[in-house]
Protein backbone atom coordinates (compact mmCIF):
# COMPACT_ATOMS: atom_id res chain seq x y z
CA UNK A 1 0.00 0.00 0.00
CA UNK A 2 2.88 2.38 0.75
CA UNK A 3 4.24 1.86 -2.76
CA UNK A 4 0.91 2.78 -4.36
CA UNK A 5 0.64 5.92 -2.16
CA UNK A 6 4.11 7.03 -3.20
CA UNK A 7 3.31 6.52 -6.92
CA UNK A 8 0.08 8.48 -6.55
CA UNK A 9 1.79 11.35 -4.72
CA UNK A 10 4.56 11.58 -7.33
CA UNK A 11 2.04 11.69 -10.21
CA UNK A 12 0.01 14.37 -8.44
CA UNK A 13 3.12 16.51 -7.88
CA UNK A 14 4.04 16.13 -11.55
CA UNK A 15 0.60 17.33 -12.69
CA UNK A 16 0.77 20.31 -10.35
CA UNK A 17 4.21 21.23 -11.70
CA UNK A 18 3.04 21.06 -15.32
CA UNK A 19 0.05 23.26 -14.50
CA UNK A 20 2.29 25.78 -12.77
CA UNK A 21 4.65 25.94 -15.75
CA UNK A 22 1.72 26.43 -18.12
CA UNK A 23 0.33 29.16 -15.90
CA UNK A 24 3.71 30.92 -15.86
CA UNK A 25 3.97 30.73 -19.66
CA UNK A 26 0.46 32.09 -20.31
CA UNK A 27 0.46 34.38 -17.31
CA UNK A 28 -2.90 32.93 -16.26
CA UNK A 29 -4.64 35.19 -18.78
CA UNK A 30 -6.84 34.08 -21.71
CA UNK A 31 -5.49 35.76 -24.82
CA UNK A 32 -8.14 37.15 -27.14
CA UNK A 33 -7.80 37.88 -30.83
CA UNK A 34 -7.17 41.47 -31.71
CA UNK A 35 -9.35 43.44 -34.13
CA UNK A 36 -6.58 43.29 -36.71
CA UNK A 37 -6.50 39.47 -36.55
CA UNK A 38 -10.30 39.32 -36.83
CA UNK A 39 -10.27 41.58 -39.91
CA UNK A 40 -7.52 39.47 -41.47
CA UNK A 41 -9.48 36.26 -40.93
CA UNK A 42 -12.66 37.90 -42.24
CA UNK A 43 -10.84 39.23 -45.31
CA UNK A 44 -9.48 35.80 -46.18
CA UNK A 45 -13.07 34.51 -46.63
CA UNK A 46 -12.37 31.29 -44.76
CA UNK A 47 -9.17 30.47 -46.70
CA UNK A 48 -6.44 29.46 -44.27
CA UNK A 49 -2.80 28.66 -44.91
CA UNK A 50 -3.51 24.95 -44.49
CA UNK A 51 -6.32 25.15 -47.03
CA UNK A 52 -4.03 26.99 -49.43
CA UNK A 53 -1.37 24.30 -49.11
CA UNK A 54 -3.97 21.60 -49.72
CA UNK A 55 -4.87 23.06 -53.13
CA UNK A 56 -1.28 23.52 -54.29
CA UNK A 57 -0.59 21.06 -57.08
CA UNK A 58 2.91 19.71 -56.66
CA UNK A 59 4.44 19.17 -60.10
CA UNK A 60 6.15 15.91 -60.92
CA UNK A 61 9.92 15.77 -61.02
CA UNK A 62 11.35 16.17 -64.48
CA UNK A 63 13.30 12.94 -64.08
CA UNK A 64 9.97 11.08 -63.91
CA UNK A 65 8.53 12.76 -66.99
CA UNK A 66 8.65 11.24 -70.45
CA UNK A 67 6.56 13.84 -72.27
CA UNK A 68 5.62 17.44 -71.58
CA UNK A 69 3.81 20.08 -73.58
CA UNK A 70 2.35 23.51 -72.84
CA UNK A 71 -0.89 24.43 -74.59
CA UNK A 72 -2.62 27.81 -74.74
CA UNK A 73 -6.40 27.71 -75.16
CA UNK A 74 -8.99 30.39 -75.73
CA UNK A 75 -12.32 30.01 -73.93
CA UNK A 76 -15.17 31.74 -75.73
CA UNK A 77 -17.85 32.56 -73.16
CA UNK A 78 -20.58 32.67 -75.82
CA UNK A 79 -20.37 28.87 -76.12
CA UNK A 80 -22.79 26.90 -73.91
CA UNK A 81 -20.00 24.84 -72.32
CA UNK A 82 -18.29 28.01 -71.05
CA UNK A 83 -21.38 29.94 -69.95
CA UNK A 84 -20.90 29.05 -66.23
CA UNK A 85 -17.86 31.35 -66.27
CA UNK A 86 -19.84 34.39 -67.45
CA UNK A 87 -23.06 34.19 -65.46
CA UNK A 88 -24.32 35.73 -63.26
CA UNK A 89 -23.30 39.11 -64.62
CA UNK A 90 -24.22 40.84 -61.33
CA UNK A 91 -23.74 39.66 -57.77
CA UNK A 92 -26.84 37.62 -56.84
CA UNK A 93 -27.24 36.08 -53.37
CA UNK A 94 -23.51 36.42 -52.76
CA UNK A 95 -22.63 34.57 -55.97
CA UNK A 96 -20.51 36.15 -58.64
CA UNK A 97 -18.95 35.13 -61.92
CA UNK A 98 -15.32 34.22 -62.46
CA UNK A 99 -14.06 37.65 -63.47
CA UNK A 100 -15.60 39.43 -60.48
CA UNK A 101 -14.00 36.84 -58.24
CA UNK A 102 -10.54 37.19 -59.83
CA UNK A 103 -10.74 40.97 -60.08
CA UNK A 104 -11.72 41.34 -56.42
CA UNK A 105 -8.94 39.06 -55.21
CA UNK A 106 -6.31 40.89 -57.27
CA UNK A 107 -7.39 44.41 -56.29
CA UNK A 108 -7.60 43.42 -52.61
CA UNK A 109 -4.07 42.00 -52.75
CA UNK A 110 -5.09 38.47 -51.73
CA UNK A 111 -3.51 36.79 -54.76
CA UNK A 112 -0.74 38.11 -57.03
CA UNK A 113 -1.14 38.80 -60.74
CA UNK A 114 1.56 38.64 -63.39
CA UNK A 115 2.26 40.39 -66.68
CA UNK A 116 0.95 38.99 -69.94
CA UNK A 117 4.09 38.36 -72.03
CA UNK A 118 2.47 36.68 -75.07
CA UNK A 119 3.81 33.18 -74.82
CA UNK A 120 6.79 33.76 -72.55
CA UNK A 121 5.04 33.84 -69.18
CA UNK A 122 7.27 34.07 -66.12
CA UNK A 123 5.57 33.79 -62.74
CA UNK A 124 8.17 35.43 -60.52
CA UNK A 125 8.19 38.50 -58.27
CA UNK A 126 9.93 40.54 -60.96
CA UNK A 127 6.88 40.25 -63.23
CA UNK A 128 4.16 40.95 -60.69
CA UNK A 129 1.87 43.76 -61.75
CA UNK A 130 0.99 46.82 -59.73
CA UNK A 131 -2.75 47.10 -59.31
CA UNK A 132 -2.95 50.87 -59.80
CA UNK A 133 -0.95 50.67 -63.03
CA UNK A 134 -3.20 47.90 -64.31
CA UNK A 135 -6.33 49.92 -63.49
CA UNK A 136 -4.94 52.99 -65.24
CA UNK A 137 -3.91 50.99 -68.28
CA UNK A 138 -7.42 49.62 -68.85
CA UNK A 139 -9.23 52.85 -67.86
CA UNK A 140 -10.97 51.40 -64.81
CA UNK A 141 -12.07 54.13 -62.42
CA UNK A 142 -11.03 53.67 -58.78
CA UNK A 143 -10.37 55.60 -55.59
CA UNK A 144 -7.61 55.12 -53.06
CA UNK A 145 -8.80 53.41 -49.90
CA UNK A 146 -7.37 53.00 -46.45
CA UNK A 147 -4.20 51.01 -46.79
CA UNK A 148 -0.48 51.06 -46.36
CA UNK A 149 2.32 51.63 -48.80
CA UNK A 150 3.09 47.93 -48.92
CA UNK A 151 -0.55 46.89 -49.01
CA UNK A 152 -2.57 49.62 -50.76
CA UNK A 153 -6.36 49.44 -50.97
CA UNK A 154 -8.63 50.56 -53.77
CA UNK A 155 -12.33 51.35 -53.82
CA UNK A 156 -14.05 50.34 -57.07
CA UNK A 157 -17.78 50.66 -57.59
CA UNK A 158 -19.72 47.71 -58.97
CA UNK A 159 -20.74 49.68 -62.06
CA UNK A 160 -17.08 50.34 -62.90
CA UNK A 161 -16.08 46.66 -62.95
CA UNK A 162 -15.88 45.69 -66.67
CA UNK A 163 -17.64 42.36 -66.27
CA UNK A 164 -19.58 42.52 -69.54
CA UNK A 165 -16.43 43.27 -71.54
CA UNK A 166 -14.63 40.08 -70.45
CA UNK A 167 -15.94 37.62 -73.03
CA UNK A 168 -12.83 35.44 -73.36
CA UNK A 169 -10.26 33.74 -71.19
CA UNK A 170 -6.82 32.45 -72.00
CA UNK A 171 -5.70 29.40 -70.06
CA UNK A 172 -2.30 27.73 -69.94
CA UNK A 173 -2.48 23.94 -69.84
CA UNK A 174 0.33 21.52 -69.06
CA UNK A 175 0.22 17.97 -70.39
CA UNK A 176 2.72 15.66 -68.71
CA UNK A 177 3.20 11.91 -69.01
CA UNK A 178 4.50 10.46 -65.75
CA UNK A 179 6.56 7.26 -66.00
CA UNK A 180 5.84 6.20 -62.45
CA UNK A 181 2.06 6.24 -62.79
CA UNK A 182 2.01 5.64 -66.58
CA UNK A 183 -0.62 8.31 -66.94
CA UNK A 184 -1.05 11.51 -68.86
CA UNK A 185 -1.72 14.27 -66.33
CA UNK A 186 -3.43 17.47 -67.41
CA UNK A 187 -3.56 20.58 -65.25
CA UNK A 188 -4.36 24.24 -65.70
CA UNK A 189 -1.36 26.39 -64.86
CA UNK A 190 -2.76 29.93 -65.16
CA UNK A 191 -5.82 31.94 -66.26
CA UNK A 192 -5.91 35.28 -68.06
CA UNK A 193 -9.10 37.37 -68.48
CA UNK A 194 -9.39 39.12 -71.85
CA UNK A 195 -11.21 42.41 -72.42
CA UNK A 196 -13.20 42.80 -75.65
CA UNK A 197 -13.61 46.44 -76.61
CA UNK A 198 -14.76 48.22 -79.74
CA UNK A 199 -12.60 50.90 -81.27
CA UNK A 200 -13.55 54.27 -82.64
CA UNK A 201 -14.15 52.81 -86.09
CA UNK A 202 -16.22 49.83 -84.97
CA UNK A 203 -13.46 47.20 -84.92
CA UNK A 204 -13.26 44.86 -81.96
CA UNK A 205 -9.93 44.42 -80.17
CA UNK A 206 -8.83 42.05 -77.43
CA UNK A 207 -6.73 43.13 -74.47
CA UNK A 208 -5.30 40.39 -72.22
CA UNK A 209 -5.23 41.83 -68.71
CA UNK A 210 -2.97 39.66 -66.51
CA UNK A 211 -2.16 36.09 -65.57
CA UNK A 212 -3.30 34.51 -62.30
CA UNK A 213 -1.86 31.21 -61.13
CA UNK A 214 -4.53 28.57 -60.86
CA UNK A 215 -3.20 27.04 -57.63
CA UNK A 216 -3.54 30.39 -55.84
CA UNK A 217 -7.10 30.70 -57.14
CA UNK A 218 -8.30 27.18 -56.32
CA UNK A 219 -9.34 27.69 -52.65
CA UNK A 220 -11.72 30.45 -53.74
CA UNK A 221 -13.01 28.54 -56.76
CA UNK A 222 -13.82 25.55 -54.55
CA UNK A 223 -16.32 27.70 -52.63
CA UNK A 224 -18.15 28.92 -55.75
CA UNK A 225 -20.70 26.38 -57.06
CA UNK A 226 -22.39 26.62 -60.45
CA UNK A 227 -24.87 24.61 -62.50
CA UNK A 228 -23.74 23.52 -65.93
CA UNK A 229 -26.98 23.18 -67.88
CA UNK A 230 -30.31 24.97 -68.18
CA UNK A 231 -32.07 21.61 -67.91
CA UNK A 232 -30.70 20.97 -64.42
CA UNK A 233 -30.40 23.94 -62.03
CA UNK A 234 -28.81 21.89 -59.25
CA UNK A 235 -25.38 23.27 -58.37
CA UNK A 236 -23.39 20.05 -58.19
CA UNK A 237 -19.91 21.23 -59.21
CA UNK A 238 -17.63 24.03 -58.09
CA UNK A 239 -15.52 26.13 -60.41
CA UNK A 240 -12.51 24.16 -59.23
CA UNK A 241 -14.20 20.94 -60.39
CA UNK A 242 -15.16 22.66 -63.63
CA UNK A 243 -11.51 23.25 -64.58
CA UNK A 244 -10.00 20.08 -63.12
CA UNK A 245 -12.53 17.84 -64.87
CA UNK A 246 -12.06 19.63 -68.19
CA UNK A 247 -15.71 20.69 -68.58
CA UNK A 248 -14.73 23.76 -70.58
CA UNK A 249 -14.42 23.94 -74.35
CA UNK A 250 -11.44 25.82 -75.73
CA UNK A 251 -9.62 26.09 -79.04
CA UNK A 252 -5.84 25.91 -79.15
CA UNK A 253 -4.51 29.30 -80.20
CA UNK A 254 -0.88 28.69 -79.38
CA UNK A 255 1.64 26.04 -78.35
CA UNK A 256 5.03 26.68 -76.82
CA UNK A 257 7.57 26.63 -79.66
CA UNK A 258 11.03 27.95 -80.36
CA UNK A 259 9.87 30.78 -82.64
CA UNK A 260 7.07 31.84 -80.25
CA UNK A 261 4.50 31.85 -83.06
CA UNK A 262 0.78 31.50 -82.64
CA UNK A 263 -1.30 28.93 -84.50
CA UNK A 264 -2.76 31.64 -86.74
CA UNK A 265 0.75 32.72 -87.76
CA UNK A 266 1.85 29.17 -88.46
CA UNK A 267 -1.34 28.23 -90.37
CA UNK A 268 -2.87 31.28 -92.08
CA UNK A 269 -5.52 29.19 -93.84
CA UNK A 270 -8.59 28.47 -91.66
CA UNK A 271 -8.97 24.87 -92.85
CA UNK A 272 -5.32 24.09 -92.18
CA UNK A 273 -5.59 25.79 -88.79
CA UNK A 274 -8.57 23.64 -87.82
CA UNK A 275 -6.79 20.48 -88.98
CA UNK A 276 -3.69 21.39 -86.96
CA UNK A 277 -5.75 22.07 -83.83
CA UNK A 278 -7.58 18.74 -84.15
CA UNK A 279 -4.31 16.94 -84.79
CA UNK A 280 -2.73 18.35 -81.63
CA UNK A 281 -5.79 17.45 -79.57
CA UNK A 282 -5.81 13.88 -80.88
CA UNK A 283 -2.09 13.44 -80.23
CA UNK A 284 -2.45 14.67 -76.66
CA UNK A 285 -5.45 12.45 -75.91
CA UNK A 286 -4.02 9.35 -77.59
CA UNK A 287 -0.42 9.68 -76.43
CA UNK A 288 -0.86 7.20 -73.59
CA UNK A 289 -2.73 4.76 -75.82
CA UNK A 290 0.07 4.80 -78.40
CA UNK A 291 2.56 3.70 -75.75
CA UNK A 292 0.62 0.46 -75.15
CA UNK A 293 2.44 -2.62 -76.49
CA UNK A 294 -0.01 -5.38 -77.58
CA UNK A 295 0.60 -9.08 -77.03
CA UNK A 296 1.56 -11.46 -79.88
CA UNK A 297 -2.00 -12.81 -80.17
CA UNK A 298 -3.49 -9.32 -80.26
CA UNK A 299 -0.97 -8.22 -82.85
CA UNK A 300 -1.69 -11.22 -85.13
CA UNK A 301 -5.45 -10.78 -84.78
CA UNK A 302 -5.17 -7.09 -85.63
CA UNK A 303 -2.94 -7.85 -88.61
CA UNK A 304 -5.37 -10.50 -89.90
CA UNK A 305 -8.21 -8.06 -89.54
CA UNK A 306 -6.31 -5.40 -91.50
CA UNK A 307 -5.57 -7.91 -94.28
CA UNK A 308 -9.25 -8.83 -94.55
CA UNK A 309 -10.20 -5.17 -94.81
CA UNK A 310 -7.52 -4.59 -97.46
CA UNK A 311 -8.79 -7.55 -99.50
CA UNK A 312 -12.37 -6.29 -99.23
CA UNK A 313 -11.32 -2.85 -100.46
CA UNK A 314 -9.37 -4.40 -103.34
CA UNK A 315 -12.47 -6.44 -104.29
CA UNK A 316 -14.47 -3.22 -104.57
CA UNK A 317 -16.25 -3.22 -101.22
CA UNK A 318 -16.95 0.36 -100.25
CA UNK A 319 -17.82 -0.62 -96.66
CA UNK A 320 -15.07 -3.03 -95.49
CA UNK A 321 -15.75 -5.17 -92.48
CA UNK A 322 -19.46 -5.59 -93.03
CA UNK A 323 -21.14 -9.02 -93.20
CA UNK A 324 -21.61 -9.96 -96.88
CA UNK A 325 -24.23 -12.60 -97.78
CA UNK A 326 -23.92 -14.21 -101.24
CA UNK A 327 -26.74 -15.75 -103.34
CA UNK A 328 -26.11 -19.37 -102.35
CA UNK A 329 -26.07 -18.50 -98.69
CA UNK A 330 -29.27 -16.49 -99.00
CA UNK A 331 -31.01 -19.35 -100.86
CA UNK A 332 -29.84 -21.81 -98.23
CA UNK A 333 -31.09 -19.55 -95.45
CA UNK A 334 -34.45 -19.09 -97.20
CA UNK A 335 -34.88 -22.86 -97.72
CA UNK A 336 -34.02 -23.44 -94.08
CA UNK A 337 -36.58 -20.85 -93.03
CA UNK A 338 -39.25 -22.41 -95.32
CA UNK A 339 -38.52 -25.89 -93.93
CA UNK A 340 -38.78 -24.60 -90.39
CA UNK A 341 -42.02 -22.79 -91.16
CA UNK A 342 -43.55 -25.90 -92.87
CA UNK A 343 -42.48 -28.08 -89.95
CA UNK A 344 -44.02 -25.71 -87.46
CA UNK A 345 -47.23 -25.51 -89.52
CA UNK A 346 -47.49 -29.31 -89.74
CA UNK A 347 -46.96 -29.60 -86.00
CA UNK A 348 -49.67 -27.03 -85.36
CA UNK A 349 -52.13 -28.77 -87.76
CA UNK A 350 -51.45 -32.19 -86.22
CA UNK A 351 -52.02 -30.77 -82.78
CA UNK A 352 -55.25 -29.21 -83.89
CA UNK A 353 -56.31 -32.49 -85.55
CA UNK A 354 -55.50 -34.57 -82.47
CA UNK A 355 -57.42 -32.40 -80.08
CA UNK A 356 -60.92 -32.98 -81.58
CA UNK A 357 -60.22 -36.74 -81.92
CA UNK A 358 -59.42 -36.97 -78.27
CA UNK A 359 -62.56 -35.11 -77.31
CA UNK A 360 -64.76 -37.13 -79.71
CA UNK A 361 -63.28 -40.43 -78.59
CA UNK A 362 -63.80 -39.58 -74.99
CA UNK A 363 -67.38 -38.48 -75.61
CA UNK A 364 -68.07 -41.45 -77.86
CA UNK A 365 -66.58 -43.84 -75.33
CA UNK A 366 -68.78 -42.45 -72.63
CA UNK A 367 -71.85 -42.68 -74.86
CA UNK A 368 -70.84 -46.16 -75.98
CA UNK A 369 -70.57 -47.38 -72.42
CA UNK A 370 -74.00 -46.03 -71.71
CA UNK A 371 -75.47 -47.69 -74.82
CA UNK A 372 -73.71 -50.91 -73.97
CA UNK A 373 -75.24 -50.94 -70.52
CA UNK A 374 -78.62 -50.31 -71.95
CA UNK A 375 -78.26 -53.07 -74.52
CA UNK A 376 -77.15 -55.52 -71.81
CA UNK A 377 -80.17 -54.69 -69.78
CA UNK A 378 -82.34 -55.23 -72.80
CA UNK A 379 -80.76 -58.59 -73.38
CA UNK A 380 -81.34 -59.60 -69.81
CA UNK A 381 -84.92 -58.67 -70.15
Amino acid sequence: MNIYRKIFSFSLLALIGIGAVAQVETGGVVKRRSDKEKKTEKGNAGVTDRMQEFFINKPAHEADLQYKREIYRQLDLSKPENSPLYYPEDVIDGKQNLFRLIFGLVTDGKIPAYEYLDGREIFTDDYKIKVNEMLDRFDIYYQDGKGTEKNPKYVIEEADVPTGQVQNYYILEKWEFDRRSNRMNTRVEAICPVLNRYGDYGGQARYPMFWVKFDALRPYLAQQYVFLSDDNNLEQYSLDDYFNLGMYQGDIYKTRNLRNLSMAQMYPDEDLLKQAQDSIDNRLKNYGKNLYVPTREEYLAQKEREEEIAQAIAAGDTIPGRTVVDKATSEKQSSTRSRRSSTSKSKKSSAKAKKPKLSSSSSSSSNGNANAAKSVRRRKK
Side-chain angles (χ1 to χ4, degrees), residues 35-306:
D35 295 336
K36 185 177 180 180
E37 292 177 349
K38 291 180 180 179
K39 289 181 180 179
T40 304
E41 292 179 359
K42 185 177 179 181
N44 289 335
V47 177
T48 60
D49 294 338
R50 184 177 181 182
M51 187 176 181
Q52 187 74 46
E53 292 178 358
F54 175 78
F55 283 101
I56 293 177
N57 191 358
K58 297 180 180 179
H61 197 274
E62 291 189 357
D64 299 331
L65 296 180
Q66 183 175 346
Y67 178 85
K68 178 180 178 181
R69 193 160 190 185
E70 296 182 2
I71 304 294
Y72 293 84
R73 293 186 185 272
Q74 178 185 184
L75 307 184
D76 187 1
L77 301 187
S78 61
K79 295 183 178 181
E81 296 85 357
N82 303 327
S83 58
L85 303 180
Y86 183 78
Y87 296 100
E89 297 184 47
D90 300 325
V91 180
I92 301 175
D93 296 333
K95 297 179 181 179
Q96 51 189 350
N97 58 11
L98 180 62
F99 177 70
R100 284 185 180 273
L101 178 63
I102 295 176
F103 188 76
L105 294 173
V106 171
T107 53
D108 292 342
K110 295 180 181 179
I111 60 174
Y114 303 89
E115 290 286 347
Y116 179 83
L117 301 177
D118 194 14
R120 302 185 187 276
E121 280 66 36
I122 303 174
F123 303 115
T124 59
D125 294 339
D126 297 334
Y127 292 92
K128 285 184 179 179
I129 65 170
K130 294 182 179 180
V131 178
N132 57 345
E133 294 180 358
M134 182 268 295
L135 296 175
D136 293 334
R137 186 192 311 167
F138 297 108
D139 297 329
I140 301 174
Y141 181 74
Y142 67 95
Q143 294 179 351
D144 294 329
K146 295 181 180 179
T148 60
E149 184 177 356
K150 294 183 178 180
N151 188 17
K153 298 294 182 181
Y154 305 97
V155 179
I156 304 172
E157 299 295 333
E158 290 291 335
D160 296 327
V161 179
T163 306
Q165 298 179 5
V166 177
Q167 300 178 5
N168 302 89
Y169 283 98
Y170 292 158
I171 63 172
L172 173 59
E173 287 181 345
K174 281 193 176 181
W175 294 69
E176 299 172 344
F177 187 85
D178 193 351
R179 296 179 183 176
R180 292 181 176 238
S181 61
N182 289 330
R183 291 182 58 187
M184 177 69 82
N185 300 321
T186 309
R187 58 189 175 91
V188 179
E189 183 74 10
I191 302 176
C192 174
V194 182
L195 288 176
N196 291 256
R197 290 178 174 177
Y198 291 93
D200 297 334
Y201 300 98
Q204 187 177 10
R206 295 177 181 176
Y207 301 95
M209 298 183 67
F210 48 78
W211 286 104
V212 177
K213 295 195 71 174
F214 184 70
D215 288 345
L217 196 61
R218 286 188 65 189
Y220 305 94
L221 297 180
Q223 301 176 12
Q224 193 76 18
Y225 281 79
V226 295
F227 60 89
L228 306 178
S229 174
D230 294 337
D231 297 332
N232 187 1
N233 301 141
L234 184 63
E235 298 175 350
Q236 296 177 321
Y237 299 95
S238 64
L239 287 176
D240 183 49
D241 299 329
Y242 176 84
F243 283 102
N244 287 324
L245 297 177
M247 298 179 180
Y248 53 86
Q249 198 281 327
D251 296 328
I252 299 175
Y253 76 92
K254 192 173 186 178
T255 60
R256 188 173 183 182
N257 53 81
L258 296 175
R259 296 180 294 171
N260 196 27
L261 297 177
S262 64
M263 296 290 292
Q265 293 173 338
M266 297 171 65
Y267 305 97
D269 186 69
E270 294 184 0
D271 295 335
L272 294 177
L273 175 62
K274 183 62 177 175
Q275 291 178 6
Q277 291 173 343
D278 295 340
S279 176
I280 294 172
D281 272 329
N282 292 330
R283 274 184 287 171
L284 292 173
K285 294 176 182 178
N286 298 324
Y287 182 83
K289 298 179 181 179
N290 295 333
L291 294 178
Y292 174 73
V293 179
T295 61
R296 184 175 182 275
E297 291 76 11
E298 292 176 347
Y299 174 76
L300 293 176
Q302 180 66 23
K303 190 174 181 180
E304 184 179 357
R305 178 64 176 167
E306 291 176 355

